[in-house]
Amino acid sequence: MADEINPWSSNQAIDVEKLFSEFGIEPIGPALSDLPEIPYFMRRGIVVGQRDYRQIATAIRDKTPFHILTGFMPSGHPHLGHLMVMKEVVWHVQQGGNGYVTIADREAHAVRGTPWEKCRELGKEYLSCLYALGFEGTTYFQSRNERLKDLAFEAATKVNFSELTAIYGFSPETDLAHAESVITQVADILYPQVDRAPAPTLVPVGIDQDPHIRLTRGVAHKMRMFTVEERDGYVSVRSKNAPDAALNAVHKAFAGSKKYEGHVDIRGLPCADVSQKVRSIEIAHGGFGFFTPSSTYHIFMPGLTGGKMSSSIPESTISFYEPEATMRKKVMSGITGGRMTLEEQKRLGGEPDKCSLYLLNLFHMVTDDLELAGIRSNCVSGAITCGQCKKDTAERVVSFMKDFREKMDAAAEKIEV
Ligand code: TRP
Ligand code: SF4
């Protein structure tokens, strides 16, 4: 049964696996066992990878605090390509996460040259989309969040230019604002733990954002006073830059522990218990006590024109305020996985994994798994023509957009920026 309703292997996933082995991203599957319910974007192979997702799944199961955060660069209108991350955020909020969304206007201004006023307008559109999907939580614009900027400055003490060059390929010609927008994103990811309290934090992103995740995970670690490590038969708590009083407090907190120069060794306790206590001591002594952020990675929905879906290629995507006729036209001229002739289509069937419209249905337009499986099997068996399938998809898109726009408009009234 599971196989029948889970026919969503996609060619993209194979390349993705290669990417994973290079960068140490883990597949999502094994991290899901604690989840009470698996959301469709994980079931359907859209979200494929993760770092440390297990601590999020456990928090959901145990109903303990966690944060969920993502960001949008307001350099173009939001479109279908942005919906996936938004839905991931909303789902995790519904599972008990504290929601945070940052509008990366500093990044848009620094990297794309978007004027501030435009950033504000576009940022508001992203927020309308989020609220239309049911988002609840904290939102902010980078440029207007003073505490974020302070945190970015503090984080900047842990990053040097050779690291930026290694991760992003920055050169001596890269302007300083670009580097600042990077460190601002690091601060975005750590912000919920400063704004509220240290807790596991999930950042759902497309694979292209992984460099930021790697950098931030490194910085979060460097900003800790202590490292806690399981050794052979004991737990070692090492000071990186902890004040003496904090290391003494660790020693005092664990009866029978041994204190040495710069570290305390503790026997007979699970590492997780020690970690928790050490974190609270760190916080009591003015430290950040950060949890290393977790991330998930989704594959990209291909553009209707075949390549990337991007607002800079208008035919590749559909924005939320497009006239109905244009929407239909774009869907009808979308790249499919159909064959050259009708005869071939009937004989060989279509190739849904190569079809931008199938993937549009898989990502957003068909919520029912069985209905989607039906579309897939009709395609593969040649029982349906692309012409008909496109028309059906166009209908779904038009009605989805109509409904979504109404929700966006209702949400927009409530947003003040
Ligand atoms: N850099 C992201 C983009 O290009 C936007 C962003 C800013 C972001 N801060 C973030 C994404 C924090 C995730 C988490 O779209
Ligand atoms: Fe795509 Fe539908 Fe054609 Fe299959 S039948 S290739 S899903 S348009």
Side-chain angles (χ1 to χ4, degrees), residues 166-180:
I167 296 182
Y168 300 100
F170 280 9
S171 74
E173 278 71 43
T174 305
D175 60 84
L176 200 46
H178 199 155
E180 283 206 45

Side-chain angles (χ1 to χ4, degrees), residues 174-242:
T174 305
D175 60 84
L176 200 46
H178 199 155
E180 283 206 45
S181 74
V182 165
I183 204 69
T184 307
Q185 178 154 353
V186 168
D188 281 329
I189 296 173
L190 299 174
Y191 183 72
Q193 301 197 64
V194 172
D195 184 50
R196 263 182 186 248
T201 304
L202 174 64
V203 190
V205 290
I207 291 157
D208 66 315
Q209 298 289 306
D210 188 52
H212 297 302
I213 302 289
R214 275 183 278 139
L215 177 65
T216 309
R217 285 167 59 90
V219 170
H221 182 73
K222 287 180 196 154
M223 288 173 91
R224 291 289 313 263
M225 284 180 180
F226 297 104
T227 47
V228 181
E229 275 171 7
E230 183 108 57
R231 294 279 165 79
D232 209 13
Y234 65 100
V235 178
S236 164
V237 178
R238 274 187 300 131
S239 161
K240 289 191 289 183
N241 50 19

Side-chain angles (χ1 to χ4, degrees), residues 297-375:
Y297 302 87
H298 61 82
I299 58 171
F300 286 102
M301 184 162 63
L304 297 170
T305 39
K308 215 174 135 200
M309 181 173 276
S310 156
S311 54
S312 56
I313 315 163
E315 299 309 314
S316 73
T317 187
I318 298 173
S319 72
F320 298 115
Y321 285 94
E322 243 167 86
E324 197 178 307
T326 330
M327 284 189 205
R328 285 184 200 279
K329 198 169 147 248
K330 284 187 179 179
V331 173
M332 293 310 287
S333 31
I335 297 251
T336 72
R339 305 288 174 175
M340 295 302 279
T341 66
L342 196 59
E343 182 278 323
E344 258 191 337
Q345 176 86 3
K346 285 199 167 133
R347 185 160 48 85
L348 301 169
E351 297 179 284
D353 293 328
K354 293 186 183 162
C355 175
S356 69
L357 300 178
Y358 178 72
L359 288 160
L360 182 57
N361 285 312
L362 172 112
F363 269 66
H364 298 298
M365 297 303 155
V366 176
T367 47
D368 186 81
D369 282 352
L370 282 173
E371 187 184 347
L372 185 68
I375 295 171

Side-chain angles (χ1 to χ4, degrees), residues 71-119:
F72 298 96
M73 183 160 61
S75 57
H77 294 283
H79 56 75
L80 284 177
H82 297 104
L83 274 186
M84 189 66 273
V85 155
M86 292 183 181
K87 287 183 177 177
E88 284 181 73
V89 169
V90 169
W91 186 81
H92 283 91
V93 167
Q94 287 162 352
Q95 302 305 307
N98 306 309
Y100 282 84
V101 170
T102 166
I103 299 300
D105 56 348
R106 285 197 135 186
E107 185 179 359
H109 192 72
V111 180
R112 300 280 162 80
T114 314
W116 294 111
E117 197 42 50
K118 191 78 191 158
C119 286

Side-chain angles (χ1 to χ4, degrees), residues 121-179:
E121 244 170 70
L122 292 168
K124 196 173 162 180
E125 290 182 21
Y126 285 86
L127 296 179
S128 307
C129 289
L130 274 151
Y131 288 117
L133 290 166
F135 175 77
E136 284 174 33
T138 303
T139 63
Y140 62 84
F141 284 65
Q142 288 175 333
S143 68
R144 280 182 275 159
N145 186 334
E146 294 306 317
R147 288 172 65 215
L148 178 83
K149 293 181 204 171
D150 288 346
L151 180 58
F153 190 81
E154 195 70 43
T157 65
K158 306 293 183 201
V159 179
N160 62 30
F161 279 95
S162 63
E163 197 174 0
L164 293 182
T165 304
I167 296 182
Y168 300 100
F170 280 9
S171 74
E173 278 71 43
T174 305
D175 60 84
L176 200 46
H178 199 155

